[in-house]
Amino acid sequence: MGNAAQTRAMRNYRARLTQRGFTRFEVMAMDSDRELIRSLAKRLAEEGPEAERVRAAVARVVAGEPPKPGGILSALRGSPLVGADLDLSRAHEEGREVEL
């Protein structure tokens, strides 16, 4: 680094990151993936359900696990239309006659 003040500032910054539970590390990747990896790291550094969802999805992809069955069903159960008492029945028609 340049001088003692910069060195001290960097050391203090990294100490604060460590107190928050963060660790600094280096990753080798393609240059084209730089922004993707940075945005992924930012998402994973956040707290909350969205970060947990991203963490679980990445872990599943890296582990090579097949997707869990019932994903569509759980998405439909989470729909805002659940319990809306929609009438989805339709009239039964015999059809039409066609001359061949």
Side-chain angles (χ1 to χ4, degrees):
M1 286 243 168
N3 59 29
Q6 286 178 329
T7 304
R8 188 172 52 251
M10 185 59 69
R11 187 174 54 236
N12 290 338
Y13 171 71
R14 289 185 178 163
R16 285 192 307 272
L17 285 178
T18 302
Q19 287 175 349
R20 290 175 48 202
F22 290 98
T23 302
R24 185 177 168 81
F25 54 91
E26 185 175 328
V27 176
M28 301 282 294
M30 300 292 291
D31 190 46
S32 59
D33 292 334
R34 179 188 305 256
E35 289 304 314
L36 174 65
I37 292 172
R38 283 183 173 171
S39 62
L40 177 63
K42 285 178 186 177
R43 281 285 183 99
L44 293 175
E46 297 171 355
E47 295 179 13
E50 181 67 18
E52 289 300 320
R53 188 185 65 77
V54 170
R55 188 173 287 112
V58 170
R60 193 170 41 250
V61 168
V62 170
E65 297 175 14
K68 289 189 254 179
I72 293 174
L73 181 60
S74 64
L76 290 174
R77 285 184 176 156
S79 168
L81 294 176
V82 169
D85 294 329
L86 298 176
D87 181 18
L88 300 176
S89 62
R90 51 186 218 182
H92 177 71
E93 296 181 13
E94 292 296 322
R96 58 187 174 156
E97 292 184 23
V98 178
E99 282 188 36
L100 298 178

